[in-house]
Amino acid sequence: IKQVIELVKYTEIHRAIVEKLEENTRVEVLSVDEGITRPSFFISLDNIKASDFMREALDREITVRIYYFPSTIDNNRIELLNMQDKLSELFLEDNLIKVNEYMNIEVDELEFNVIDKVLHCYFDMRLCENYNRTDDRPYMEELEIERKG
């Protein structure tokens, strides 16, 4: 019996990042339609590129953007530096994001910026997964070749 493993969904990747943040920081991750509470994270998956690899696999590249809204609007420099340390620990020291029992995604670089007193953390991820296809075409049974001469 062959087990069919589904391709990873973008929502599964998002959920895995949310769980990693919430379990390790005790800071809430907001969804798009919520107002900003402090402290909190907001996550977006951007620059998504999906391409076929030789009709055998799906290659995907994704930029993950994590925004951290510190507990106060002003005088938050130390809090932002501490959160950079925490995010580095979460995503570089323990650099695997467990999406499901079949897929772990490795993170090897983080980029940080502080824009309008909000911490921006970016990283790229790459996935390559084989399609779940079964080839039902019949095999060639016998081939006859005629030679001239």
Side-chain angles (χ1 to χ4, degrees):
I1 297 174
K2 184 179 178 185
Q3 183 178 7
V4 176
I5 300 170
E6 294 292 320
L7 293 172
V8 169
K9 306 286 186 229
Y10 295 115
T11 54
E12 291 177 288
I13 295 168
H14 187 274
R15 187 191 69 243
I17 296 167
V18 168
E19 288 174 1
K20 186 167 182 124
L21 283 170
E22 287 185 339
E23 289 171 6
N24 293 287
T25 65
R26 303 184 193 282
V27 174
E28 180 184 17
V29 177
L30 303 174
S31 65
V32 177
D33 54 355
E34 297 175 20
I36 295 174
T37 57
R38 292 178 178 271
S40 61
F41 290 106
F42 176 76
I43 300 168
S44 67
L45 304 181
D46 295 322
N47 302 330
I48 296 173
K49 179 180 175 185
S51 57
D52 175 74
F53 178 72
M54 298 179 64
R55 303 283 307 139
E56 293 293 324
L58 175 63
D59 275 346
R60 291 185 280 180
E61 296 175 17
I62 303 165
T63 299
V64 176
R65 300 183 194 280
I66 300 172
Y67 303 94
Y68 175 67
F69 298 92
S71 54
T72 61
I73 294 174
D74 294 315
N75 300 321
N76 55 23
R77 188 170 43 104
I78 298 300
E79 181 181 354
L80 294 176
L81 290 171
N82 287 336
M83 186 52 71
Q84 286 181 48
D85 287 337
K86 184 64 176 175
L87 292 172
S88 292
E89 179 184 313
L90 275 178
F91 291 104
L92 291 178
E93 288 180 39
D94 174 20
N95 70 334
L96 292 181
I97 298 171
K98 185 170 178 53
V99 178
N100 60 36
E101 62 182 302
Y102 304 106
M103 174 64 73
N104 289 322
I105 300 173
E106 192 172 353
V107 178
D108 58 11
E109 182 178 63
L110 296 177
E111 182 179 333
F112 294 103
N113 289 301
V114 176
I115 301 170
D116 295 331
K117 300 183 180 181
V118 174
L119 178 64
H120 296 228
C121 174
Y122 313 119
F123 58 89
D124 294 321
M125 55 175 58
R126 184 178 178 114
L127 292 80
C128 184
E129 298 175 274
N130 289 335
Y131 295 121
N132 296 320
R133 293 186 180 145
T134 27
D135 190 352
D136 294 333
R137 295 176 292 184
Y139 290 107
M140 189 181 318
E141 291 181 19
E142 204 171 294
L143 183 63
E144 293 182 22
I145 300 174
E146 287 185 27
R147 293 187 190 191
K148 290 186 180 180

